[in-house]
């Protein structure tokens, strides 16, 4: 339905060097690299997808590598942190793992949830939050299912003033306030799966930011199918949001718009999913291109930096 959004489909960020990104997210955090493709709007650069075993919506973190690109700057109208859900009781494992890899972190309790906060190699803010969801993450010899990251817990959005964002998040998308603590207010979509939460942080001193390397590019929300997405397209069309046409992304179909506070939002269909062009057991093993780029495969492959996929079962 087009009256309430259920939750987050994926979060896309801009990183620096592709191998460094793979080493961290597959190696240190243990996420499965479920798709290696290119930026459909810029085939000279990669697009990586990480997630659970099948790359389900709600588990997906994706990255546009931009080696040598400008560094981003955190400010108002940006996603300030990505929170990842981990199983209850696994916080000690992650304390030890982050320490082993010489990653500095801080600990806190927020809305009754224990969490670790740290940065990735490009200074993207990440959080690991103990969650009530059953352990379903991608396991390996180093990280068993009882400790593996389950998926996206939520995101934090930073604004100098939240009023405009509330117009979009509550007024248009139907999210509901569930908790408040100081300048942080938590909202939830209608779903019961992972990726339900959006935290708004209001900071009058946030200043102006820049989306570049080390920044989140956009937050994508879930919609069930093409019919429900068409309803969202119709609901959001008009001068207020300048919503994009429905765009084919092979693994889902998308519309894009900026919430009233400036963060780029996407609404993506749940299907057809990551296994449309390679079987689940082989996800992430080859460079997948949209059909329109296949005639240029050799040129594209030459332009991309070589990568090594190391972490598999």
């Amino acid at each position: 339905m087009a009256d309430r959004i259920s939750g987050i489909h994926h979060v896309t960020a801009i990183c620096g060097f592709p191998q460094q990104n793979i080493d961290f997210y597959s190696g240190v955090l243990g996420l499965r690299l479920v798709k290696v493709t290119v930026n459909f709007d810029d085939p000279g650069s990669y697009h990586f997808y990480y997630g659970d075993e099948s790359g389900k919506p709600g588990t997906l973190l994706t990255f546009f590598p931009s080696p040598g690109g400008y560094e981003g700057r955190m400010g108002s109208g940006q996603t300030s942190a990505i929170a990842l859900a981990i199983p209850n009781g696994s916080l000690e494992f992650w304390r030890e793992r982050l320490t082993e890899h010489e990653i500095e972190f801080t600990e806190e309790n927020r809305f009754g949830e224990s969490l670790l906060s740290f940065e990735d190699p490009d200074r993207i803010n990440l959080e690991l939050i103990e969650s009530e969801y059953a352990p379903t993450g991608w396991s390996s010899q180093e990280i068993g299912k009882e400790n593996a990251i389950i998926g996206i817990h939520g995101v934090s959005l930073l604004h100098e003033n939240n009023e405009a964002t509330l117009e979009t998040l509550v007024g248009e998308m139907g999210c509901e306030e569930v908790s408040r603590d100081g300048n942080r207010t938590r909202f939830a979509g209608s779903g019961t799966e992972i990726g339900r939460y959006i935290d708004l942080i209001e900071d009058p001193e946030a200043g102006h930011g820049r989306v570049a390397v080390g920044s989140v590019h956009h937050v994508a929300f879930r919609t069930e199918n093409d019919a429900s997405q068409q309803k969202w397209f119709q609901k959001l069309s008009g001068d207020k949001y300048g919503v994009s046409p429905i765009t084919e992304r092979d693994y889902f179909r998308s519309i894009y718009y900026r919430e009233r506070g400036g963060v780029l939002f996407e609404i993506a269909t749940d299907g057809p999913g990551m296994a449309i062009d390679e079987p689940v057991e082989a996800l992430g093993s080859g460079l997948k291109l949209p059909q329109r780029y296949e005639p240029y495969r050799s040129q594209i492959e030459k332009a991309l930096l070589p990568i090594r996929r190391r972490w598999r079962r």
Side-chain angles (χ1 to χ4, degrees):
M1 297 178 64
D3 55 349
R4 293 191 66 193
I5 208 75
S6 64
I8 294 170
H9 184 285
H10 66 269
V11 179
T12 295
I14 305 171
C15 66
F17 288 91
Q19 189 63 52
Q20 177 178 254
N21 185 261
I22 291 173
D23 290 350
F24 182 80
Y25 283 91
S26 280
V28 177
L29 296 189
L31 297 174
R32 187 180 190 189
L33 180 61
V34 295
K35 193 65 59 183
V36 177
T37 183
V38 293
N39 183 335
F40 282 21
D41 301 319
D42 177 15
S45 61
Y46 282 114
H47 192 176
F48 296 153
Y49 289 74
Y50 302 90
D52 69 356
E53 182 169 4
S54 61
K56 291 193 302 289
T59 73
L60 294 167
L61 280 182
T62 95
F63 292 87
F64 298 136
S66 179
Y70 289 108
E71 289 188 9
R73 181 175 59 249
M74 185 57 62
S76 183
Q78 287 188 255
T79 302
S80 59
I82 306 168
L84 302 173
I86 57 175
N88 272 326
S90 65
L91 208 66
E92 180 57 31
F93 170 87
W94 285 103
R95 288 189 193 100
E96 293 177 0
R97 187 162 182 83
L98 294 178
T99 300
E100 174 188 349
H101 287 275
E102 299 182 342
I103 297 168
E104 295 183 358
F105 60 88
T106 59
E107 298 189 47
E108 62 179 286
N109 188 285
R110 181 189 303 153
F111 301 130
E113 299 169 326
S114 299
L115 66 91
L116 305 178
S117 179
F118 56 100
E119 294 179 343
D120 82 352
D122 292 299
R123 302 188 66 185
I124 295 171
N125 294 319
L126 300 174
E127 297 167 344
L128 294 177
I129 298 182
E130 286 196 325
S131 165
E132 74 276 12
Y133 298 109
T136 57
W138 171 251
S139 59
S140 65
Q141 290 182 343
E142 291 190 6
I143 305 175
K145 183 172 289 189
E146 70 278 7
N147 295 310
I149 291 170
I150 300 166
I152 296 170
H153 182 276
V155 293
S156 297
L157 309 182
L158 175 66
H159 297 90
E160 291 180 332
N161 186 301
N162 285 339
E163 184 175 350
T165 299
L166 289 171
E167 182 181 340
T168 304
L169 201 65
V170 177
E172 304 286 1
M173 298 171 66
C175 293
E176 296 183 346
E177 181 177 333
V178 294
S179 298
R180 186 176 296 213
D181 183 8
N183 68 339
R184 179 186 292 268
T185 307
R186 173 160 292 177
F187 295 84
S190 63
T192 58
E193 300 180 55
I194 52 176
R196 291 187 62 218
Y197 297 117
I198 305 98
D199 289 3
L200 297 190
I201 301 172
E202 188 171 74
D203 180 2
E205 306 299 322
H208 181 68
R210 178 174 66 187
V211 175
V213 174
S215 303
V216 172
H217 186 269
H218 64 267
V219 179
F221 295 90
R222 299 177 65 172
T223 195
E224 183 179 4
N225 52 37
D226 292 337
S228 61
Q229 186 174 69
Q230 182 63 41
K231 292 178 181 179
W232 280 111
F233 176 75
Q234 292 172 352
K235 182 175 184 176
L236 296 168
S237 292
D239 295 337
K240 184 184 288 188
Y241 293 109
V243 64
S244 74
I246 295 174
T247 305
E248 177 62 62
R249 297 305 191 196
D250 285 5
Y251 314 108
F252 43 84
R253 281 162 286 280
S254 300
I255 56 174
Y256 300 87
Y257 59 101
R258 288 198 182 274
E259 54 93 359
R260 300 291 285 167
V263 179
L264 182 61
F265 280 179
E266 173 185 353
I267 296 178
T269 57
D270 278 355
M274 296 292 111
I276 192 174
D277 55 4
E278 54 188 348
V280 169
E281 59 270 20
L283 288 176
S285 60
L287 175 65
K288 298 300 177 181
L289 301 177
Q291 196 58 43
R292 67 182 182 273
Y293 292 145
E294 278 295 349
Y296 312 103
R297 175 175 282 274
S298 61
Q299 297 98 305
I300 290 171
E301 289 178 340
K302 288 178 182 177
L304 297 171
L305 291 174
I307 58 172
R308 301 181 303 281
R309 303 163 177 83
R310 297 176 178 170
W311 291 274
R312 296 193 176 278
R313 278 185 175 144

